Amino acid sequence: MFMIKKLLLLMLITSTLFALHVPVIGEKVLPIILEDQHDVKQTYENDVNWVLYAPDKAAFKIVEAFFEEQESDILQKKKALLITDVSAAPSFVISFYIKPKLRSCAFEVLMISDDLSPVIFPSKAEKVSLVKLKKGHIETIWFIENVKILRERLN
């Protein structure tokens, strides 16, 4: 019995490691298929130049502050996607706190809400990953620590 548990644990760890592939510069990342804050599945296959990836709450606060000073259609104008990772939160927190808060945003927020999501971007704690795409491939990645730098990079 102990060996079976050990084998199952090893299989789980191995499958998790292989599932969490983080793309690198030059790698194709489109299409991106995720649900937005309104529970609508969104598919982006082409015509995306930027991805703003907020892996945690601190990074999302940087993004929120940036969007407060922008026009509501900045994502469309820049051909950009905003993706946040809420998978670390329990499902009841996502349903009763995070989604209602995100629904009040004037911009679309795509959400990674479980550990099995195929979409993962390079990240650093408390920093926004700003990913520049060219024809669906990663061209450059910046790790942004404040609104000023995010504004400079996107403009």
Side-chain angles (χ1 to χ4, degrees):
M1 186 68 167
F2 177 72
M3 287 300 284
I4 293 173
K5 286 182 181 179
K6 199 173 183 180
L7 180 61
L8 288 173
L9 180 61
L10 180 61
M11 287 173 36
L12 178 66
I13 291 170
T14 304
S15 66
T16 302
L17 289 175
F18 287 114
L20 295 178
H21 171 72
V22 178
V24 294
I25 292 178
E27 193 166 337
K28 185 174 173 107
V29 294
L30 295 179
I32 294 174
I33 304 168
L34 290 170
E35 284 189 358
D36 65 15
Q37 73 265 41
H38 304 290
D39 298 319
V40 177
K41 187 185 236 183
Q42 303 291 344
T43 302
Y44 293 89
E45 295 184 31
N46 300 303
D47 213 26
V48 176
N49 294 335
W50 298 95
V51 173
L52 290 85
Y53 176 59
D56 53 35
K57 188 176 182 178
F60 194 81
K61 286 185 181 221
I62 294 169
V63 171
E64 278 185 311
F66 171 76
F67 279 107
E68 284 177 4
E69 61 187 41
Q70 302 297 320
E71 296 176 21
S72 62
D73 63 347
I74 185 75
L75 289 173
Q76 292 82 7
K77 285 182 178 177
K78 294 290 183 182
K79 297 182 180 180
L81 303 178
L82 170 58
I83 301 173
T84 189
D85 188 346
V86 297
S87 63
S91 60
F92 74 90
V93 173
I94 294 170
S95 297
F96 295 108
Y97 176 72
I98 296 173
K99 281 186 181 179
K101 184 175 188 307
L102 293 178
R103 286 182 181 130
S104 67
C105 294
F107 44 89
E108 181 180 71
V109 182
L110 301 175
M111 297 185 310
I112 296 173
S113 57
D114 62 45
D115 292 332
L116 302 176
S117 174
V119 179
I120 273 261
F121 286 95
S123 63
K124 292 185 178 179
E126 300 183 358
K127 295 186 180 184
V128 177
S129 299
L130 180 60
V131 182
K132 173 73 174 140
L133 300 178
K134 186 173 185 177
K135 296 183 181 177
H137 293 77
I138 296 177
E139 187 176 78
T140 310
I141 304 167
W142 293 281
F143 300 104
I144 308 295
E145 58 196 31
N146 63 50
V147 176
K148 181 183 177 204
I149 297 170
L150 182 57
R151 187 181 323 110
E152 290 170 3
R153 294 283 183 202
L154 271 177
N155 290 327

